[in-house]
Amino acid sequence: MKNNHIFLPVDELPKHWYNILPDLPKPLPPYKEPEKGVSRVELMKKLFTKTSLELEFSKERWISIPDKVRELYIHIGRPRPLYRAKRLEEFLNTPARIYYKREDLAPTGSFKMNSMIPQVYYAYKEGFKRVVAPTGAGQVGSAVAFAAAMFSLDCTIFWVRHACRMKRERASYTRMLNAKVIESPSETTKIGKKYLEENPEHPGSLGTAYAETFEVALNNDDTVAIWGSRMNHVIMHHTIIGLETKKQLEIIDKSPDVVLSCGGTGSNFPGLAYPFIKDYLDGKLGNIKFLVVQTSAAPTLIKGEYRYDFVEPSRTLPLMKMYTLGVETKLPLIRAEGLRSSSSSPTLSLLRHEGIIDAIALDEKEALEAAKIFLQTEGVLVALESAYAVKAAIDEALKAKRENKEKVIVFNVSGNGFFDMEGYREVLKDI
Amino acid sequence: MKNNHIFLPVDELPKHWYNILPDLPKPLPPYKEPEKGVSRVELMKKLFTKTSLELEFSKERWISIPDKVRELYIHIGRPRPLYRAKRLEEFLNTPARIYYKREDLAPTGSFKMNSMIPQVYYAYKEGFKRVVAPTGAGQVGSAVAFAAAMFSLDCTIFWVRHACRMKRERASYTRMLNAKVIESPSETTKIGKKYLEENPEHPGSLGTAYAETFEVALNNDDTVAIWGSRMNHVIMHHTIIGLETKKQLEIIDKSPDVVLSCGGTGSNFPGLAYPFIKDYLDGKLGNIKFLVVQTSAAPTLIKGEYRYDFVEPSRTLPLMKMYTLGVETKLPLIRAEGLRSSSSSPTLSLLRHEGIIDAIALDEKEALEAAKIFLQTEGVLVALESAYAVKAAIDEALKAKRENKEKVIVFNVSGNGFFDMEGYREVLKDI
């Protein structure tokens, strides 16, 4: 009996996260204060847990995963299987071997849980009673709500109004998890009221959601903010994906030629790729391609500038050096909202600037058509964001076919699409 | 580090299904021809695959699972973990140990795949080009579509019109799997046209969907019907659930005091329970309770009569002896449509009649409130149907608390609720 999948037993679950900071080819440019206003670095201390901030600047390469977090990792199905896409390979008639990591199996439907669980755990351990977070597409919101339920903490989610209404099912799910879901801007904060005075029909934006989140965290001692992406401590948590994948490829004695994943702000791609980039920087991997797959609506790593910018329109956090399209830039609306970010994470940007990673940008329709092929061959319904990775993996496999090379292509299915059918229907039309 | 879950390695996946026919306390009353009309037993031969019909009447206790089916079982995540509901136990402060089987982890979101995969495999092996099936709630429809995609067969699903429109997301998902989804009654069949002539706004029923399915299967040599529940060969396939669960309980050296699951027509409960009922009939289990949890909208095993009846309003299949509320009875509409059946499977009915299994009926609101507690404690969003089992498990655990007994309660989470949020919202109001 053939078995094309690689399962990692529970006792092989990694005991450490990987921190790329000490291994970067150049030091990460420090977070910077803006010329005017209060110290943003001091503000950060009031916004986030002590543990998160310690990790953010840690120079330790290996960060021990707390037992309680590992227990919950197991509870949510870690280690996750690595699947070989044998049926897709046959469909494409390619000599390439395509492997995909199953982050779509997460209970809330996305990889985001890998960081939301430890972040909420730190909040719990440090005595906070409530966590608060902004969300757009909603994957962060529901993952924070899940983690808060596990630690019996209160949870408030500021959800970009127009996105929340587009994601009605995910919003109900998040409420059912006991979170207080508030459409942003709202009457519950001063800044929210100000936005609504300016425009009673304000559709909301990540800017309004961040601003309300920060106001609540700064004004309530029992409340701490949870951060969804970009920052070092978040990325670190997600390296569990790549660390497991490395072990799985070792089991079958394969080394990747291409490692790719979709990338918005950038925590999913780093989660898969950084453990492999470590090996590459250590000289253990030869000719390898690291590929971030972006949306043409927000091609930060392709069309952005590498410079200091604010990471969110409320300008509460310090300036970070990164690829940015400009924090105030209006990005086109797409369905894969998780990829719609005006700038990229600092470490990912540095690696891009140093020429270590490649990036491409795809249109929504071609990505979602690829997801349809993937569903019909592999039986896996991927998230709208993950569809971009699927398309890129298919293109790489077809390239290998043209070159007649048995390349090993590895990618991450960052989430599932069960709350995404409306988006699929809108773009694919015929379903 | 604590680990409350029991994982079964892939090489422990059972190699056989269990057939309860030879072990029933009395012989199963044979399928019977009606007084008028063509031979229904002959019709069955034209409707279903040869293999399914052979299995339907097989007296073999152990049925070998084809390698190709086992491969796909592994592909869809079997063996599935058995979870201990430690957080729920703590919430209830009960001495009971509650274990739940994770059929919700199936890619199409329900246990139905366990039978749809082998049935479609038989169709593929016997040279059919297309499968056709009726569906109401849609779990059968999407599982058949999934299996058809895996074997590259064409797939037509007749979906009860009003249900299809209520389950828009699941219908889109099924179409994305390449199935032709047709709202029933339709203009594509003679019988469908007749229904529409009588009532152009016909909302459809399982009766219309069955009738159209059978017409297509009977009139197309390359097409065979797939059966969603009730029959022996279907139940047999689902015993993979209970066989895995038995192995898992053996690993932790526990014996169940209560085995329960939700039950509509009856293939989910038998799937979990029949392997344990075998042990009970063999005298290997002492004082054990087997409990089917039904909806008060269709309490067949409680208020039904044990007699011969038709199993579907089109009266295409033979009469079966079973608990029935009457095949023409109009059942109240509920959201957990998978439990809304006018009669129960013949083997389950016989076991009920012999006093081997218990049954209760619950209202929708109490069931869905229990599902909310389950989500907030265990982090698992169960299907509307599975919510009934959750409520019953909680009640059994509270009973154990009153009796101060460390009972072992085992139940099956037959599906997940990611396509059920609309139903949850309608009933729970506050999400």
Side-chain angles (χ1 to χ4, degrees):
Chain A
M1 204 186 61
K2 284 176 292 177
N3 173 14
N4 294 308
H5 311 323
I6 306 110
F7 299 93
L8 209 56
V10 165
D11 53 16
E12 286 286 328
L13 180 73
K15 292 191 167 62
H16 297 86
W17 293 301
Y18 169 58
N19 175 16
I20 202 169
L21 282 188
D23 292 327
L24 288 173
K26 284 187 177 172
L28 191 70
Y31 296 172
K32 216 172 73 175
E33 299 285 5
E35 282 170 20
K36 287 186 288 186
V38 297
S39 162
R40 305 304 205 272
V41 177
E42 286 306 308
L43 272 187
M44 279 177 85
K45 294 183 187 163
K46 295 180 187 167
L47 286 170
F48 303 114
T49 63
K50 237 178 110 206
T51 318
S52 284
L53 281 185
E54 274 167 25
L55 289 180
E56 185 65 21
F57 302 106
S58 171
K59 291 290 178 329
E60 294 293 322
R61 182 171 290 118
W62 299 106
I63 310 292
S64 178
I65 308 176
D67 272 1
K68 191 70 203 164
V69 171
R70 292 183 78 233
E71 276 173 33
L72 277 170
Y73 275 177
I74 293 168
H75 186 70
I76 64 167
R78 304 214 76 90
R80 303 210 180 286
L82 181 71
Y83 270 36
R84 178 164 174 204
K86 201 78 177 68
R87 295 188 79 253
L88 176 63
E89 290 169 20
E90 282 162 15
F91 174 81
L92 300 173
N93 192 21
T94 173
R97 286 167 167 261
I98 309 172
Y99 295 92
Y100 56 104
K101 183 73 170 169
R102 299 290 312 270
E103 290 301 312
D104 61 294
L105 294 174
T108 68
S110 101
F111 76 105
K112 291 286 182 190
M113 310 189 82
N114 299 322
S115 178
M116 302 307 116
I117 287 173
Q119 285 191 60
V120 174
Y121 169 69
Y122 307 150
Y124 162 79
K125 268 205 73 174
E126 294 177 23
F128 291 100
K129 299 289 173 230
R130 178 169 64 152
V131 289
V132 57
T135 202
Q139 283 99 340
V140 169
S142 48
V144 174
F146 182 100
M150 292 303 105
F151 291 105
S152 303
L153 296 189
D154 289 337
C155 175
T156 300
I157 303 294
F158 285 102
W159 202 314
V160 179
R161 172 163 290 120
H162 76 91
C164 187
R165 292 182 181 180
M166 245 170 43
K167 304 265 181 175
R168 197 172 172 209
E169 307 302 289
R170 185 173 282 282
S172 285
Y173 169 63
T174 306
R175 285 194 184 95
M176 194 166 158
L177 274 162
N178 207 27
K180 192 168 174 181
V181 172
I182 302 176
E183 291 184 2
S184 175
S186 76
E187 295 282 352
T188 67
T189 64
K190 275 185 202 163
I191 183 78
K193 279 181 192 158
K194 191 167 152 277
Y195 286 124
L196 288 174
E197 269 166 32
E198 288 163 20
N199 176 8
E201 304 297 314
H202 202 306
S205 67
L206 274 177
T208 70
Y210 281 121
E212 292 194 87
T213 295
F214 291 150
E215 183 181 320
V216 167
L218 289 174
N219 291 327
N220 293 279
D221 286 346
D222 66 351
T223 304
V224 71
I226 301 295
W227 198 249
S229 190
R230 187 184 313 266
M231 302 226 281
N232 302 329
H233 70 279
V234 180
I235 288 175
M236 208 174 288
H237 298 145
H238 290 305
T239 60
I240 188 85
I241 303 170
L243 292 167
E244 283 180 11
T245 305
K246 253 172 63 84
K247 283 192 181 201
Q248 286 163 315
L249 288 175
E250 280 159 18
I251 288 173
I252 54 167
D253 203 18
K254 291 284 169 199
S255 180
D257 298 297
V258 183
V259 174
L260 67 88
S261 209
C262 63
T265 307
S267 64
N268 164 50
F269 174 85
L272 174 68
Y274 281 8
F276 292 98
I277 289 179
K278 178 185 187 305
D279 281 4
Y280 171 76
L281 293 169
D282 289 349
K284 288 186 197 156
L285 291 173
N287 194 13
I288 184 170
K289 180 174 182 177
F290 295 105
L291 180 64
V292 183
V293 191
Q294 300 201 295
T295 161
S296 50
T300 52
L301 295 171
I302 298 157
K303 299 199 175 159
E305 285 177 69
Y306 189 52
R307 65 172 168 86
Y308 273 101
D309 196 3
F310 286 102
V311 302
E312 29 70 60
S314 76
R315 303 181 178 218
T316 311
L317 297 185
L319 290 151
M320 300 184 189
K321 189 162 184 183
M322 58 196 180
Y323 279 96
T324 176
L325 299 165
V327 68
E328 298 289 355
T329 304
K330 291 265 178 263
L331 302 170
L333 282 174
I334 54 166
R335 277 293 181 161
E337 190 143 309
L339 299 183
R340 205 168 142 266
S341 177
S342 67
S343 59
S344 192
S345 63
T347 54
L348 189 61
S349 296
L350 185 143
L351 291 166
R352 170 70 172 156
H353 196 247
E354 294 299 313
I356 291 165
I357 60 163
D358 283 331
I360 51 165
L362 301 176
D363 290 337
E364 193 136 272
K365 192 156 167 60
E366 58 183 334
L368 272 51
E369 292 286 359
K372 192 174 175 182
I373 292 170
F374 198 68
L375 177 62
Q376 290 179 11
T377 51
E378 293 296 315
V380 176
L381 177 68
V382 306
L384 298 170
E385 291 80 6
S386 318
Y388 288 73
V390 169
K391 170 64 177 163
I394 288 176
D395 287 348
E396 289 291 332
L398 292 175
K399 196 175 146 202
K401 182 180 175 178
R402 288 192 300 274
E403 295 169 352
N404 199 22
K405 282 187 185 160
E406 198 191 296
K407 280 193 190 168
V408 173
I409 299 163
V410 181
F411 74 100
N412 185 32
V413 177
S414 56
N416 71 49
F418 289 102
F419 282 144
D420 288 340
M421 288 318 301
E422 197 183 327
Y424 274 114
R425 200 159 45 226
E426 190 182 281
V427 176
L428 295 178
K429 313 287 185 204
D430 61 343
I431 63 165
Chain B
M1 207 185 62
K2 283 174 291 176
N3 173 14
N4 294 308
H5 311 322
I6 305 108
F7 300 93
L8 208 57
V10 165
D11 54 16
E12 286 287 327
L13 180 73
K15 293 192 167 62
H16 297 86
W17 292 300
Y18 169 58
N19 176 16
I20 202 167
L21 282 188
D23 293 326
L24 287 173
K26 283 188 178 172
L28 191 69
Y31 296 172
K32 216 172 71 175
E33 299 286 4
E35 282 170 21
K36 286 186 289 187
V38 297
S39 162
R40 304 304 205 273
V41 176
E42 286 306 308
L43 272 185
M44 280 177 85
K45 294 183 188 162
K46 294 181 189 166
L47 287 170
F48 303 114
T49 63
K50 235 177 113 208
T51 318
S52 285
L53 281 186
E54 273 167 22
L55 290 179
E56 184 65 20
F57 303 105
S58 170
K59 291 291 177 333
E60 293 295 319
R61 183 172 287 118
W62 298 105
I63 310 292
S64 178
I65 307 177
D67 273 0
K68 191 72 204 162
V69 172
R70 292 183 80 232
E71 276 172 32
L72 278 170
Y73 275 176
I74 293 168
H75 185 72
I76 64 168
R78 305 214 74 92
R80 303 211 181 284
L82 181 71
Y83 271 35
R84 179 163 173 204
K86 201 79 177 67
R87 295 189 78 255
L88 177 63
E89 290 169 22
E90 282 161 14
F91 174 82
L92 300 172
N93 191 22
T94 174
R97 287 166 167 261
I98 309 172
Y99 294 92
Y100 57 103
K101 183 72 170 170
R102 299 290 313 269
E103 290 301 312
D104 61 293
L105 294 174
T108 68
S110 102
F111 75 104
K112 292 287 183 189
M113 307 188 84
N114 299 324
S115 178
M116 301 307 115
I117 287 173
Q119 285 191 60
V120 174
Y121 169 70
Y122 307 149
Y124 162 80
K125 268 205 70 174
E126 294 178 23
F128 291 100
K129 300 288 173 234
R130 177 169 63 153
V131 290
V132 57
T135 203
Q139 283 99 339
V140 169
S142 47
V144 174
F146 183 100
M150 292 303 105
F151 291 105
S152 304
L153 296 189
D154 289 337
C155 175
T156 299
I157 303 295
F158 285 101
W159 203 314
V160 179
R161 172 163 289 119
H162 76 92
C164 188
R165 292 182 180 179
M166 247 172 39
K167 305 267 181 174
R168 198 171 172 208
E169 307 302 288
R170 186 173 282 282
S172 285
Y173 169 64
T174 306
R175 285 194 185 95
M176 193 165 158
L177 275 162
N178 207 28
K180 190 166 178 185
V181 171
I182 302 176
E183 290 184 3
S184 174
S186 76
E187 295 282 352
T188 68
T189 63
K190 274 187 204 165
I191 184 79
K193 280 181 191 157
K194 189 167 153 276
Y195 287 124
L196 288 173
E197 268 166 33
E198 286 162 20
N199 177 7
E201 305 296 314
H202 201 304
S205 67
L206 275 176
T208 70
Y210 281 121
E212 293 195 85
T213 295
F214 292 150
E215 184 180 319
V216 167
L218 289 174
N219 292 328
N220 294 278
D221 286 345
D222 66 352
T223 304
V224 71
I226 301 295
W227 198 249
S229 190
R230 187 184 313 267
M231 302 225 283
N232 301 329
H233 70 278
V234 180
I235 288 176
M236 207 174 291
H237 298 144
H238 290 304
T239 60
I240 189 85
I241 303 169
L243 293 167
E244 284 180 12
T245 306
K246 252 172 63 86
K247 283 192 179 200
Q248 286 163 313
L249 289 175
E250 279 159 18
I251 289 173
I252 55 167
D253 203 18
K254 291 285 170 200
S255 179
D257 298 297
V258 183
V259 174
L260 67 87
S261 211
C262 64
T265 307
S267 63
N268 165 53
F269 174 85
L272 173 68
Y274 281 8
F276 293 98
I277 289 179
K278 175 183 189 308
D279 281 4
Y280 171 77
L281 293 170
D282 288 349
K284 288 186 196 154
L285 291 171
N287 195 11
I288 184 170
K289 181 175 180 175
F290 295 106
L291 181 65
V292 183
V293 191
Q294 300 200 296
T295 163
S296 50
T300 51
L301 295 171
I302 298 158
K303 298 198 177 161
E305 285 178 68
Y306 188 52
R307 64 172 169 88
Y308 273 100
D309 196 4
F310 286 102
V311 302
E312 29 70 60
S314 77
R315 303 180 178 217
T316 310
L317 297 186
L319 291 152
M320 299 184 189
K321 190 162 184 186
M322 59 197 178
Y323 279 96
T324 177
L325 299 165
V327 69
E328 298 289 355
T329 304
K330 292 264 178 261
L331 302 169
L333 281 173
I334 53 164
R335 277 294 183 162
E337 190 142 312
L339 299 184
R340 203 167 144 267
S341 177
S342 67
S343 60
S344 193
S345 64
T347 55
L348 189 61
S349 295
L350 184 143
L351 291 165
R352 170 69 172 155
H353 196 247
E354 293 299 312
I356 291 164
I357 60 163
D358 282 333
I360 52 164
L362 300 176
D363 289 338
E364 192 136 271
K365 192 156 168 57
E366 58 182 334
L368 271 53
E369 292 286 358
K372 192 175 176 183
I373 291 170
F374 198 68
L375 177 62
Q376 291 179 10
T377 51
E378 293 296 313
V380 176
L381 177 68
V382 305
L384 298 170
E385 291 81 7
S386 317
Y388 288 72
V390 170
K391 170 63 178 162
I394 289 175
D395 287 348
E396 288 291 331
L398 291 174
K399 196 175 148 204
K401 182 180 175 180
R402 288 191 299 274
E403 295 169 354
N404 199 24
K405 283 188 186 159
E406 199 190 297
K407 280 192 190 169
V408 173
I409 299 164
V410 180
F411 75 99
N412 185 32
V413 178
S414 56
N416 71 49
F418 289 102
F419 282 143
D420 287 340
M421 289 318 300
E422 197 183 326
Y424 274 114
R425 201 160 46 227
E426 190 181 282
V427 176
L428 295 178
K429 312 288 186 203
D430 61 343
I431 62 164

